Amino acid sequence: PQMRSVYLGMSVKGGWIFDTKNKSGAAHFMEHILFQGTPSFPDVEIFSDFIEGLAGSYNAATHLQTIKFHINVPSRYFKEALKIGGEVFYEPLFAPGSVEKERNVILSEISERQDNLWYKNSRFFAQNRYKKGHPMLLDGGGSIESVKSLQKDDLTDYWSKFFHPKNTYLVLIGDIGKNSKSVIEEVLG
């Protein structure tokens, strides 16, 4: 109760372990595309400006079994944080141009990651630990070839498969108030 901020974390069970070889990187691509446009924030600049205007911060991550989004805001914006989280997960716009824009960002990330010694060591370990064709041999961020081939339909299919309330975890920490359950039900349904 003495905290003056709220942390909201949302995760779906849908990380890179669920990617296929041909669509390796789909989970990571989803992480990037989610806040590129929502009904209330049609592009990432408006989205970022709004959250930063609340003195808040946000980020997303892709892990083995989850895709996560989190936002931290002053507690008086608890309801807004819920609304943003709900839109990010359940109403992304897949805005025109955002797929190509993020594809370039992801390809740059892949190149940077592949230049690191830790990446080379982890790939060596995986290739010597797992049998050929094992899902743990997939590159969590995707391969350059697969990311280049992913299309908007691949991403919307991925989103349809994983991003629904029964497959989502919601974590709230901080001053969420005594009526938080009713606020959650009101905003997220």
Side-chain angles (χ1 to χ4, degrees):
Q2 65 273 22
M3 291 183 72
R4 295 183 181 166
S5 63
V6 171
Y7 168 89
L8 176 141
M10 293 180 78
S11 301
V12 295
K13 294 183 281 184
W16 63 263
I17 195 73
F18 300 103
D19 287 351
T20 63
K21 185 176 181 180
N22 294 343
K23 301 210 186 312
S24 173
H28 182 225
F29 215 130
M30 282 305 308
E31 168 208 324
H32 279 254
I33 209 75
L34 287 173
F35 44 84
Q36 293 300 313
T38 69
S40 296
F41 309 99
D43 69 49
V44 70
E45 287 79 20
I46 295 170
F47 183 85
S48 291
D49 288 348
F50 181 79
I51 293 172
E52 290 170 11
L54 301 177
S57 61
Y58 70 95
N59 208 342
T62 306
H63 298 284
L64 179 68
Q65 296 180 10
T66 59
I67 301 170
K68 300 178 177 185
F69 169 76
H70 69 264
I71 182 171
N72 200 63
V73 294
S75 58
R76 67 181 173 267
Y77 301 117
F78 170 55
K79 194 172 183 177
E80 287 85 348
L82 282 169
K83 182 176 190 235
I84 290 168
E87 285 191 11
V88 164
F89 263 33
Y90 307 128
E91 301 180 77
L93 297 179
F94 297 94
S98 63
V99 171
E100 289 310 313
K101 175 184 159 198
E102 288 308 304
R103 182 188 320 278
N104 292 330
V105 171
I106 294 165
L107 290 171
S108 177
E109 285 181 3
I110 291 171
S111 295
E112 288 176 24
R113 187 177 64 250
Q114 289 178 348
D115 283 341
N116 286 306
L117 182 58
W118 68 263
Y119 175 83
K120 294 172 184 171
N121 288 339
S122 67
R123 297 306 298 162
F124 174 80
F125 172 79
Q127 290 165 353
N128 287 286
R129 169 65 180 90
Y130 301 105
K131 293 180 183 178
K132 185 177 180 178
H134 194 284
M136 290 298 288
L137 290 173
L138 291 174
D139 189 324
S143 68
I144 288 176
E145 298 78 25
S146 64
V147 169
K148 282 182 177 179
S149 71
L150 287 169
Q151 299 300 311
K152 181 179 176 180
D153 288 345
D154 298 318
L155 300 175
T156 56
D157 289 347
Y158 198 95
W159 175 79
S160 295
K161 182 175 181 180
F162 293 103
F163 286 82
H164 47 86
K166 290 185 178 184
N167 196 41
T168 303
Y169 296 103
L170 174 64
V171 175
L172 298 165
I173 301 170
D175 182 15
I176 58 175
K178 293 181 182 186
N179 65 342
S180 60
K181 185 176 179 182
S182 63
V183 173
I184 294 167
E185 290 171 349
E186 173 192 340
V187 176
L188 297 179

